[in-house]
Amino acid sequence: MRRERNRFQNMGEEELEGLIQGLPRREPEGALRDGILSRAALRRRVRPAFMRPGYAFLAVIVLLAVDVLVLHVDAARIGGPQGSIGVPVAQATPVEADELAWLGDMGGGVALRVARLHAGAPAQEFGYRAMLTSLLDEANGG
Amino acid sequence: MEENARFDMDTGRVERQLGTGTWGQAREGEIERELAAIYDAYSGSLYRYLLALLSRAEDAEDALQEVFVGLLRRRGRGEIENLQAYLFRAARNQALTIRRRQKKRERESAAAALSWIDVEACDPEAREMAMEIDRCLPRLPAEQREVMVLRLSEGLTFREIAELLGLPLNTATSRYRLGLSKLRALLKAAGPAKGRGTC
């Protein structure tokens, strides 16, 4: 190293410049080029149309419309068809036997309405008498 | 590619004359071809510039990758008037970002720092001197290294360096002179090459 150190010791700035300018220079790895170009190609190809701002706005509008539609359908379903006795909520709720105990004191008309509630079905010609009998039996603990 | 070539990312075309003009639509695959041409023309200079700023091959590669990803991302935002200046500014910004993360690591492993000189590719008789220069260069301040690499490695004039870095001409010249003077002092003080860190 003595010879090299002496050279540096006596080396002027211009000589040092020339020396550095003549030295080989580093280059980036070849794999880096491939990675960058393939990433560029991938980035360009996979960007779908709906990622563009205009399409995104349209997508938001469509989603909102779907939401409104769903809410409307749900609201209509909760409202339900109006039964002939006008108690749609009760129509969906089964009536327990002990709740029919008071039937024994009521007239047939009320019992019939309760029977409809219990069956959850619109008025029909057949089965009411049997249904009523069944309810009354239940109410009386039979 | 000629210097001051303009590159329109919308069409992927490189304008080789100064001034505005109309651009056609890029055909399928044209963007990749133009990007490859730009990469081949500028990657070496950018890489060495990034090495001068960051002193680590891995960091320089990361920054170089981000420069070209940013170039591609810039599509649709108008043409680039001066591609070389744009690329070097982008590289500088990436280097600054990485340097903020790098500072702590730098203190811990200064021996891993390297310059733009490819010591392994040197002739045997010049290899030891190249090794000393490669070790001493990272010890210079970054602002001096970035001017020195553009001058000594890329062969730019001081005026071109000043324009590229957005510096006054006198500042670019003085940073270079100070850097070269300090490098010479470090090399004179360097002992025999034993391993990393003799500077």
Side-chain angles (χ1 to χ4, degrees), chain B residues 147 150-151 154-164 169 172:
Chain B
V147 177
L150 292 173
R151 174 80 172 160
E154 308 311 315
L156 301 187
T157 64
F158 287 118
R159 187 167 299 281
E160 288 168 336
I161 293 170
E163 281 177 15
L164 201 62
L169 181 59

Side-chain angles (χ1 to χ4, degrees), chain A residues 1 3-5 7-14 16-21 23-30 32-33 35-37 39-45, chain B residues 28-29 32 35-36 39-40 44 47-48 51 61 64-65 68-69 72-73 75 115-118 121-122 128-129 132 152-153 176 180-181 183-184 188 190 192:
Chain A
M1 183 59 188
R3 188 161 54 94
E4 287 75 13
R5 187 169 56 187
R7 283 201 63 181
F8 282 134
Q9 290 286 344
N10 299 325
M11 191 179 286
E13 282 190 2
E14 274 189 34
L16 181 58
E17 279 179 309
L19 173 65
I20 295 173
Q21 283 169 330
L23 293 174
R25 306 173 301 173
R26 292 186 195 275
E27 299 287 341
E29 296 287 331
L32 188 63
R33 180 184 191 276
I36 287 171
L37 296 183
R39 186 171 169 173
L42 188 65
R43 182 185 174 83
R44 193 177 72 83
R45 276 197 289 271
Chain B
E28 183 70 28
E32 281 85 11
L35 191 68
Y39 183 88
D40 292 339
Y47 179 65
R48 287 183 287 275
L51 269 179
E61 285 169 4
L64 185 66
Q65 184 164 15
F68 282 91
V69 168
L72 192 66
R73 210 177 278 145
R75 283 184 66 201
S115 75
W116 66 85
I117 295 171
D118 189 354
C122 287
E128 280 202 46
M129 281 197 295
E132 287 300 328
L152 295 172
S153 173
Y176 175 80
L180 192 64
S181 174
L183 177 64
R184 205 162 141 248
K188 283 182 179 180

